């Protein structure tokens, strides 16, 4: 649909999830109808615990029960996926890395945010 339009006219949000990583701990996710702001902080045991905060922003003030229900659903879905999928996979990957069984991790081309994040880590510690 966008292929035949000039890039300046593209509206990507209906076609993709846009993710901006703001080093070192913030992720902005653009979704249809809302924006998510994710922030991660070291926990009490910084090597083994991360505190995750997420905010969901709407383009307009929520003034109806129907709109409130939609945003509640979106936030509940976000939390369900991160808690039941993303965080579990992350914890398992971290355990595998701590075991020493894996020498390196290669991110696929479909993970540009992870590539960018690790490039910024390398720049910061260089």
């Amino acid at each position: 649909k966008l292929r035949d339009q000039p890039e300046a006219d593209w509206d990507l949000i209906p076609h993709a999830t846009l993710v901006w990583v703001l080093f070192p701990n913030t992720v902005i996710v653009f979704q249809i109808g809302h924006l998510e702001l994710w922030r991660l902080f070291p926990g009490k045991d910084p090597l083994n615990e991360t505190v995750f905060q997420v905010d969901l922003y709407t383009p307009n003030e929520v003034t109806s029960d129907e709109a409130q229900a939609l945003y509640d659903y979106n936030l509940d879905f976000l939390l369900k996926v991160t808690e039941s999928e993303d965080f579990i996979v992350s914890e398992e990957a971290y355990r595998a890395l701590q075991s020493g069984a894996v020498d390196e991790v290669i991110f696929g081309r479909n993970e540009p945010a992870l590539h960018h994040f690790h490039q910024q880590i390398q720049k910061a510690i260089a």
Side-chain angles (χ1 to χ4, degrees), residues 67-115:
Q68 184 65 53
L70 172 66
Y71 293 119
D72 287 346
Y73 171 82
N74 286 331
L75 182 59
D76 289 344
F77 183 77
L78 161 67
L79 295 174
K80 179 183 175 188
V81 169
T82 53
E83 290 174 358
S84 67
E85 296 176 19
D86 298 340
F87 293 164
I88 291 171
V89 169
S90 295
E91 287 174 1
E92 290 173 356
Y94 188 68
R95 266 195 299 279
L97 290 170
Q98 283 182 315
S99 75
V102 177
D103 292 332
E104 67 178 339
V105 175
I106 299 173
F107 296 119
R109 285 182 280 164
N110 63 324
E111 296 289 359
L114 294 176
H115 287 278

Side-chain angles (χ1 to χ4, degrees), residues 16-89:
T17 298
L18 306 180
V19 178
W20 290 6
V21 177
L22 304 177
F23 185 78
N25 71 328
T26 302
V27 178
I28 301 172
V29 180
F30 292 88
Q31 300 279 12
I32 294 176
H34 72 272
L35 179 140
E36 300 164 10
L37 178 67
W38 302 31
R39 289 170 293 164
L40 298 107
F41 302 95
K44 291 179 184 175
D45 178 4
L47 294 178
N48 296 299
E49 182 181 77
T50 301
V51 175
F52 169 72
Q53 295 179 346
V54 65
D55 295 292
L56 189 143
Y57 294 93
T58 62
N60 301 303
E61 183 178 353
V62 178
T63 58
S64 71
D65 291 341
E66 182 180 43
Q68 184 65 53
L70 172 66
Y71 293 119
D72 287 346
Y73 171 82
N74 286 331
L75 182 59
D76 289 344
F77 183 77
L78 161 67
L79 295 174
K80 179 183 175 188
V81 169
T82 53
E83 290 174 358
S84 67
E85 296 176 19
D86 298 340
F87 293 164
I88 291 171
V89 169

